[in-house]
């Protein structure tokens, strides 16, 4: 029996790190909220549990936030029409930790001394608990358990008059990762933390300015990509045009390397690089670093596909779809009888047995998190008659938690934090197991890794976090730390 919960569909994507948010904003467009709904739809992979849109019609703000997918939340004309105005921001949320209720669904909104203030945030603050503690002691009343609300209280309490100055004042107090789109009566603000950990891009449709987590969202609304919002840059847009502000001292950027490995959609372009091409390069590099004799290269769908193509092209081993994914089942399914429950394993991903039988298989996947999924996939290949099953992973071993807006298990639950590669191979019962090296990963991105001063955040592989972790002091295990967080107040691990 491969599943522990008989009603849960076996889904290799479920045992993955998950990006927790996608953001989108547009200023100066007819039916702005309709554009935002389309943009959020293209960013659905960055957060599938809830979505929201806030619009401004020149006088009033309008908001609709709901649990569930974008298509279900914003597929009705009356919902979109009620979100009136030529400016709107939106947010997709994913969270399996912390509280998952409607009050945490973004955009968050508050009435401040400067007027209405709607905010959508991708990332996670690593000192949110400490700041929140201080703010509560000074009388702030929080409406959510989200770290994003800390921004609102810091802006509200700032002694500056102008909105942009208040915002700068607030941002200088936070640490961690943030890509923000903010909607106010004065204009729209987009900004990225000084390290640029999470992505944010800027585009245009006619005279309308668009901001999005990824370029794929620009494509879907018909916007032309203009440029990345630079790390540490704040862009203020209103009727007078767009103004770039650099409120922070310049530091070496550390954008998240995992965006290229797994989080971003392959049809996006991140930092000028095609995500699809980078993933193929990773597969090719992996093939050079860890060659193996086999009959077929088989991707673990869907995320392993580009790397598997690269592995196949470099090695000359034919690429085949040895695992077929059904797109017509959700994450759970009620079986008609106890006898039928075992089949739930095969409802979403099934081995292509006619192809696999009697063959040596190289499975290519993007990462190993807990390892339980890899074990099931290897078993599935053996049950289908594979004579050998070799596993190749398109990222280095994930041995550390992320505190910057990615849903990661506590460190003790990461397989690579507990085992070396040979022990991991035995755990997943593969004939061989290899990961791309950290230097090889940078190389696949066309960069030489500077180990002494890394040019990217690669902390989940190396443990070299690019910021201080005020809420996660050294010495406290992640388990102890998570428990402390839950005990003090259940701060949602970002929206
Ligand atoms: Fe990305 Fe990993 Fe850094 Fe998190 S810790 S920002 S997932 S590289």
């Amino acid at each position: 029996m491969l599943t522990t919960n008989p009603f849960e569909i076996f889904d290799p994507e479920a045992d993955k790190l998950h990006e927790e948010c996608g953001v989108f904003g547009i200023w100066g467009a007819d039916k702005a909220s309709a554009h935002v709904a389309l943009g959020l739809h293209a960013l659905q992979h960055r957060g599938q549990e809830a979505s929201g849109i806030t619009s401004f019609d020149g006088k009033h703000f309008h908001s609709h936030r709901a649990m569930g997918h974008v298509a279900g939340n914003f597929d009705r004309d009356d919902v979109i029409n009620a979100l009136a105005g030529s400016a709107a921001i939106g947010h997709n949320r994913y969270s399996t930790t912390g509280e998952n209720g409607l009050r945490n669904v973004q955009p968050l909104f508050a009435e401040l001394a400067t007027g209405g203030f709607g905010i959508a945030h991708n990332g996670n603050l690593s000192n949110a608990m400490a700041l929140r503690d201080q703010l509560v002691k000074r009388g702030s009343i929080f409406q959510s358990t989200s770290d994003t609300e800390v921004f609102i209280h810091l802006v509200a309490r700032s002694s500056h008059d102008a909105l942009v100055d208040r915002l700068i004042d607030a941002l200088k107090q936070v640490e961690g990762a943030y890509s923000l789109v903010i909607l106010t009566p004065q204009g729209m603000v987009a900004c990225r933390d000084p390290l640029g950990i999470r992505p944010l891009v800027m585009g245009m449709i006619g005279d309308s300015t668009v901001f999005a987590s990824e370029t794929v969202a620009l494509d879907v609304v018909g916007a032309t990509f203009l440029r990345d919002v630079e790390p540490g840059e704040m862009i203020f847009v209103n009727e007078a045009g767009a103004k770039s502000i650099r409120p922070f001292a310049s530091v070496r950027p550390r954008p998240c390397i995992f965006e290229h490995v797994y989080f971003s959609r392959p049809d996006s372009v991140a930092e000028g690089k095609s995500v699809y091409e980078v993933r193929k390069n990773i597969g090719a590099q992996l093939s050079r670093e860890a060659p193996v004799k086999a009959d077929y290269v088989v991707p673990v769908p869907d995320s392993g596909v580009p790397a598997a193509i690269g592995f196949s092209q470099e090695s000359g081993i034919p690429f085949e779809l040895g695992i077929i994914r059904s797109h017509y089942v959700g994450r759970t399914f009620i079986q008609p009888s106890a006898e039928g429950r075992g089949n739930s394993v095969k409802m979403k991903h099934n081995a292509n047995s006619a192809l696999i039988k009697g063959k040596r298989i190289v499975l290519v996947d993007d990462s190993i998190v807990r390892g339980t999924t890899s074990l099931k996939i290897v078993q599935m290949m053996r049950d289908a008659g594979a004579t050998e099953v070799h596993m190749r992973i398109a990222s280095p071993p994930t041995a550390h938690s992320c505190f910057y807006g990615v849903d990661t298990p506590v460190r003790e639950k990461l397989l690579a934090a507990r085992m070396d590669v040979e022990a991991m191979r035995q755990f997943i019962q593969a004939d061989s197991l290899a990961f791309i090296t950290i230097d090889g990963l940078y190389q696949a991105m066309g960069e030489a890794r500077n180990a002494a001063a890394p040019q990217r955040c690669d902390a989940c592989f190396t443990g070299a976090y690019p910021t201080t972790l005020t809420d996660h002091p050294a010495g406290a295990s992640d388990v102890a730390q998570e428990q402390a967080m839950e005990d003090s107040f259940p701060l949602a691990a970002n929206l």
Side-chain angles (χ1 to χ4, degrees):
M1 185 73 179
L2 297 177
T3 49
T4 48
N5 174 359
F7 300 109
E8 189 176 338
I9 298 297
F10 166 53
D11 179 1
E13 307 278 334
D15 186 18
K16 297 288 180 195
L17 305 186
H18 285 276
E19 181 70 61
E20 291 180 349
C21 309
V23 298
F24 190 93
I26 184 164
W27 178 271
D30 281 344
K31 290 211 166 188
S33 56
H35 287 89
V36 176
L38 275 179
L40 291 182
H41 196 268
L43 298 172
Q44 189 72 83
H45 60 290
R46 297 183 77 88
Q48 288 117 52
E49 297 197 351
S51 57
I53 296 177
T54 296
S55 69
F56 181 61
D57 65 10
K59 276 191 176 170
H60 301 107
F61 285 86
H62 310 273
S63 192
H64 181 77
R65 303 179 301 156
M67 307 303 296
H69 285 192
V70 178
N73 294 342
F74 296 104
D75 61 345
R76 295 203 334 255
D77 285 346
D78 59 322
V79 172
I80 293 295
N81 290 339
L83 292 163
S86 60
I89 59 173
H91 188 270
N92 286 336
R93 176 174 195 265
Y94 175 91
S95 179
T96 57
T97 57
E99 211 170 317
N100 189 23
L102 196 54
R103 66 178 175 156
N104 284 332
V105 179
Q106 298 192 24
L108 297 184
F109 180 79
E111 291 287 352
L112 308 183
T114 49
F117 185 92
I119 182 169
H121 171 203
N122 177 202
N124 199 48
L125 304 183
S126 51
N127 67 340
M129 277 185 58
L131 286 171
R132 182 178 171 125
D133 214 13
Q134 292 165 16
L135 286 161
V136 168
K137 282 181 181 140
R138 283 155 54 197
S140 291
I141 298 168
F142 277 73
Q143 302 293 323
S144 74
T145 54
S146 149
D147 63 337
T148 306
E149 194 179 345
V150 168
F151 286 113
I152 295 177
H153 290 275
L154 291 174
V155 173
R157 286 179 170 272
S158 172
S159 57
H160 292 275
D161 292 329
L163 173 79
V164 168
D165 293 336
R166 282 173 175 256
L167 195 50
I168 292 169
D169 193 23
L171 295 180
K172 287 190 170 171
Q173 297 175 64
V174 303
E175 71 183 34
Y178 54 86
S179 283
L180 305 172
V181 285
I182 295 167
L183 183 59
T184 75
Q186 294 87 349
M188 182 172 289
V189 185
C191 59
R192 217 169 149 202
D193 64 78
L195 295 163
I197 296 175
R198 301 259 75 87
L200 192 62
V201 298
M202 181 179 183
M204 299 293 292
I205 316 177
D207 294 333
S208 311
T209 305
V210 185
F211 299 102
S213 294
E214 293 181 37
T215 60
V216 65
L218 302 182
D219 297 343
V220 166
V221 300
T224 307
F225 170 75
L226 210 56
R227 64 179 179 87
D228 287 357
V229 176
E230 298 293 332
E233 183 182 20
M234 178 183 282
I235 300 177
F236 183 77
V237 183
N238 63 11
E239 293 76 14
K243 185 175 163 192
S244 172
I245 304 164
R246 302 262 178 187
F248 306 106
S250 179
V251 293
R252 175 198 278 260
R254 301 280 300 274
C256 169
I257 201 166
F258 227 133
E259 289 282 348
H260 295 267
V261 174
Y262 175 64
F263 301 139
S264 293
R265 252 175 64 159
D267 45 344
S268 279
V269 175
E271 303 158 55
K273 300 177 204 288
S274 153
V275 174
Y276 180 75
E277 284 302 322
V278 166
R279 286 185 192 161
K280 280 207 316 183
N281 291 345
I282 290 171
Q285 177 70 20
L286 188 52
S287 162
R288 288 189 289 272
E289 289 185 0
V292 61
K293 288 199 170 114
D295 298 303
Y296 296 136
V297 174
V298 169
V300 177
D302 288 329
S303 52
V305 171
I309 291 171
F311 194 106
S312 166
Q313 289 177 349
E314 181 67 19
S315 64
I317 302 169
F319 171 95
E320 292 286 359
L321 295 178
I323 301 170
I324 305 301
R325 174 181 174 176
S326 167
H327 293 271
Y328 305 105
V329 289
R331 289 175 75 167
T332 58
F333 186 84
I334 305 300
Q335 294 286 351
S337 66
E339 294 71 40
R341 286 174 189 162
N343 293 331
S344 69
V345 173
K346 296 179 176 176
M347 289 194 61
K348 189 152 187 178
H349 289 84
N350 192 28
N352 184 354
S353 302
L355 178 88
I356 299 298
K357 194 162 190 246
K359 295 292 191 291
R360 299 165 299 170
I361 302 300
V362 192
L363 284 171
V364 178
D365 204 353
D366 54 84
S367 58
I368 291 182
V369 181
R370 293 178 183 82
T372 48
T373 295
S374 304
L375 170 62
K376 288 173 185 172
I377 297 260
V378 171
Q379 255 185 278
M380 184 187 280
M381 291 293 99
R382 293 207 194 281
D383 290 348
T387 54
E388 293 175 24
V389 184
H390 304 273
M391 183 71 101
R392 295 293 179 269
I393 304 297
S395 60
T398 305
H400 303 270
S401 301
C402 175
F403 302 107
Y404 304 124
V406 169
D407 177 56
T408 338
V410 290
R411 187 159 186 233
E412 285 77 354
K413 290 185 180 163
L414 293 169
L415 198 65
R418 297 188 283 121
M419 299 181 187
D420 63 16
V421 174
E422 171 53 20
M424 292 171 80
R425 182 199 68 75
Q426 290 176 25
F427 179 85
I428 67 170
Q429 298 175 12
D431 292 292
S432 74
L433 168 66
F435 297 77
I436 194 170
T437 61
I438 186 76
D439 288 335
L441 178 56
Y442 276 82
Q443 207 174 314
M445 298 183 62
E447 301 170 12
R449 175 173 173 248
N450 181 344
Q455 58 269 45
R456 297 183 168 277
C457 179
D458 52 21
C460 45
F461 310 127
T462 62
Y465 293 99
T467 71
T468 47
L469 300 171
T470 301
D471 292 343
H472 310 273
S477 78
D478 292 337
V479 167
Q481 194 57 33
E482 186 172 85
Q483 192 56 52
M485 284 171 71
E486 291 293 330
D487 289 348
S488 56
F489 39 72
L491 187 72
N494 198 24
L495 308 182

